[in-house]
């Protein structure tokens, strides 16, 4: 093989290798969208909406059926409201990855905001899940993870005589 043939073969080898790398990257991101993880905001939204719909106090206050939707644009036009407000962060105390979401629910008797946070450490329980009525600001449902408290011995004061 001459020098130019070797260069041509090397060039085409790099082109094929780059195309293969690009295809693998595309397949990874397509798979991540089609099969979301437990910490994906839309997976957290679906679990939170199921828990809110299952709560009897929420269903009696807002009526049946309850529908959930993402961020409302605030204007009068109708459209898709699929964007879920979310914030992903690492908790500074325990180092766990957390996802905090906010979305809207609506029933025949009113609307509410739902706030939820989930952690990747521990079980599938919520760090918190709250439903706040838009009209009066009251909280209809508040699920929080039970935390173990350390009891400190009570100190008795002695009076000096």
């Amino acid at each position: 093989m001459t020098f130019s043939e070797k260069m041509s073969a090397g060039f085409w080898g790099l082109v094929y290798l780059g195309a293969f790398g690009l295809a693998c990257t595309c397949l990874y991101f397509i798979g991540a969208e089609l099969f979301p993880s437990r910490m994906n905001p839309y997976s957290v939204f679906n679990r939170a909406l199921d828990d809110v719909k299952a709560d009897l106090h929420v269903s009696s206050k807002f009526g049946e059926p309850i529908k959930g939707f993402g961020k409302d644009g605030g204007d009068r036009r109708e459209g898709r409201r699929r964007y879920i407000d979310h914030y992903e962060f690492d908790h500074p105390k325990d180092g766990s990855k957390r996802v905090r979401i906010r979305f809207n629910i609506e029933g025949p008797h009113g609307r509410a905001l739902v706030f939820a946070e989930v952690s990747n450490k521990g079980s599938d329980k919520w760090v918190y899940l709250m439903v706040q009525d838009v009209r009066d600001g009251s909280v209809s449902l508040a699920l929080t993870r039970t935390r173990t408290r350390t009891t400190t011995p009570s100190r008795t004061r002695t009076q000096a005589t």
Side-chain angles (χ1 to χ4, degrees):
M1 282 173 84
T2 65
F3 178 73
S4 63
E5 290 173 342
K6 289 179 185 177
M7 290 299 291
S8 176
F11 171 75
W12 285 110
L14 287 176
V15 168
Y16 292 141
L17 186 63
F20 179 73
L22 182 65
C24 288
T25 304
C26 289
L27 285 175
Y28 170 77
F29 285 111
I30 289 172
E33 284 296 318
L34 292 178
F35 306 108
S37 69
R38 185 177 74 87
M39 297 297 287
N40 185 303
Y42 294 101
S43 298
V44 176
F45 165 76
N46 288 333
R47 287 193 333 227
L49 186 60
D50 290 342
D51 286 353
V52 166
K53 284 181 178 180
D55 187 67
L56 296 176
H57 186 63
V58 173
S59 62
S60 67
K61 184 169 186 173
F62 298 107
E64 291 285 336
I66 293 176
K67 63 180 180 177
F69 51 93
K71 188 174 185 176
D72 198 5
D75 52 1
R76 294 278 181 198
R77 65 183 172 89
E78 289 292 322
R80 294 179 60 116
R81 297 174 287 192
R82 289 192 36 117
Y83 178 74
I84 305 298
D85 262 346
H86 67 281
Y87 176 64
E88 298 178 16
F89 64 98
D90 294 326
H91 196 266
K93 291 185 180 177
D94 61 2
S96 65
K97 181 180 175 187
R98 295 194 175 190
V99 176
R100 186 178 293 164
I101 64 169
R102 178 187 161 263
F103 63 94
N104 301 298
I105 61 169
E106 185 175 9
H109 306 301
R111 297 179 64 176
L113 295 172
V114 179
F115 302 93
E117 184 176 319
V118 68
S119 173
N120 68 345
K121 283 191 177 177
S123 62
D124 284 340
K125 293 185 180 178
W126 301 101
V127 175
Y128 64 84
L129 175 64
M130 295 186 305
V131 178
Q132 183 180 20
D133 195 345
V134 174
R135 294 173 293 191
D136 58 3
S138 64
V139 176
S140 299
L141 168 69
L143 298 175
T144 58
R145 181 184 301 166
T146 56
R147 296 187 175 107
T148 58
R149 291 186 174 176
T150 57
T151 57
T152 57
S154 62
R155 297 183 184 179
T156 57
R157 289 188 181 188
T158 57
Q159 291 182 340
T161 55

